[in-house]
Amino acid sequence: MLVGSGNRSHPLEKVESNYLYMLRDKNTRTQTFGGDVAAPAVLTPTDLKDISDLPFEGLESGSQAFVNEEVDFSAYDGWMYKLAATEKSLAKPAILFGVAYFTSFKPSPENNVDECQLKGGDGLLYAFNLHYGTSVYDVGITLELGNKVPPSPTWIVEDEFYCLNCGTQDPTDPDSEDHGKLIELIAVDENDPTKTTTPGFRTIQNYIFRQEDNN
């Protein structure tokens, strides 16, 4: 489950600290809680791994450093990423092909509501490896979307898979994978969390495991 914090009714607010969250629901079996079956404990920030410093970034999958981070990560029920000062998430996040997408908005410091000076702000698209919180695109975890409050990602399926309203150029440009409002989607390689692959509709694992070699 993905959640982003931010006051949608006050996008120019500059006081609160906001985060992007990935929550793991370990209670996937259909059941009724109550009586002899206690309801799961409420998750709090202390139950989530703070990945603001991107602990897995740059580590080789299977290396001792990577495995050490996985062991530490296994004690948590998800992760959280701290947004910059005044930045906030104002639209619904999405998951596709093992990639977690969030949009955010950071108001311009030149905004002055009292004097009716509105300069907008910076819109960003975040793209994380769903499980590890690492970057999946070559540009890093963020793509600049221009001076706007970005909407939720919208998917388009043509010859390839695209994300509408995720591009970085002039919004009046045609929709294409090279410019305009589209970016071509990629997928996480379920066999190697440090790699990506071609997206497509297929069955993949959606959990983390590390197979041990006992030989």
Side-chain angles (χ1 to χ4, degrees):
M1 176 181 179
L2 303 182
V3 180
S5 68
N7 189 342
R8 295 182 64 182
S9 64
H10 192 1
L12 301 185
E13 182 271 326
K14 298 181 179 180
V15 178
E16 300 294 334
S17 295
N18 292 293
Y19 286 80
L20 307 177
Y21 300 94
M22 189 281 283
L23 311 177
R24 291 198 185 99
D25 184 2
K26 298 180 180 179
N27 298 281
T28 57
R29 181 170 61 88
T30 301
Q31 58 185 311
T32 300
F33 297 109
D36 296 333
V37 182
V42 175
L43 294 181
T44 68
T46 58
D47 298 311
L48 306 176
K49 171 73 172 179
D50 189 337
I51 63 160
S52 302
D53 59 351
L54 303 177
F56 286 98
E57 197 74 14
L59 300 181
E60 182 180 353
S61 177
S63 67
Q64 189 58 53
F66 194 97
V67 173
N68 290 343
E69 288 291 348
E70 283 185 309
V71 171
D72 178 65
F73 206 23
S74 66
Y76 295 91
D77 294 310
W79 50 257
M80 59 183 183
Y81 178 88
K82 186 175 183 179
L83 296 177
T86 77
E87 187 180 5
K88 50 191 67 69
S89 177
L90 302 176
K92 183 179 179 180
I95 304 170
L96 195 64
F97 305 127
V99 181
Y101 294 94
F102 301 83
T103 56
S104 74
F105 176 72
K106 185 177 181 181
S108 169
E110 298 180 18
N111 289 319
N112 190 322
V113 177
D114 295 335
E115 298 180 6
C116 295
Q117 296 179 0
L118 299 178
K119 300 294 184 179
D122 298 320
L124 289 176
L125 173 73
Y126 284 84
F128 295 93
N129 179 302
L130 176 63
H131 293 304
Y132 293 95
T134 53
S135 60
V136 292
Y137 287 93
D138 292 338
V139 296
I141 61 170
T142 59
L143 292 87
E144 296 180 0
L145 301 182
N147 187 348
K148 63 180 178 180
V149 178
S152 299
T154 302
W155 316 122
I156 295 178
V157 180
E158 295 177 342
D159 293 334
E160 305 291 343
F161 295 87
Y162 301 104
C163 179
L164 179 65
N165 294 322
C166 296
T168 60
Q169 303 298 322
D170 187 340
T172 63
D173 284 342
D175 293 336
S176 76
E177 67 272 26
D178 298 320
H179 62 283
K181 300 185 288 295
L182 296 179
I183 61 169
E184 186 173 346
L185 297 179
I186 56 180
V188 171
D189 185 339
E190 61 268 29
N191 296 313
D192 187 338
T194 65
K195 296 181 179 180
T196 57
T197 187
T198 303
F201 295 118
R202 62 188 184 277
T203 301
I204 65 173
Q205 68 192 35
N206 59 354
Y207 55 88
I208 300 173
F209 75 94
R210 174 64 61 181
Q211 184 173 353
E212 296 184 357
D213 185 358
N214 295 319
N215 294 330

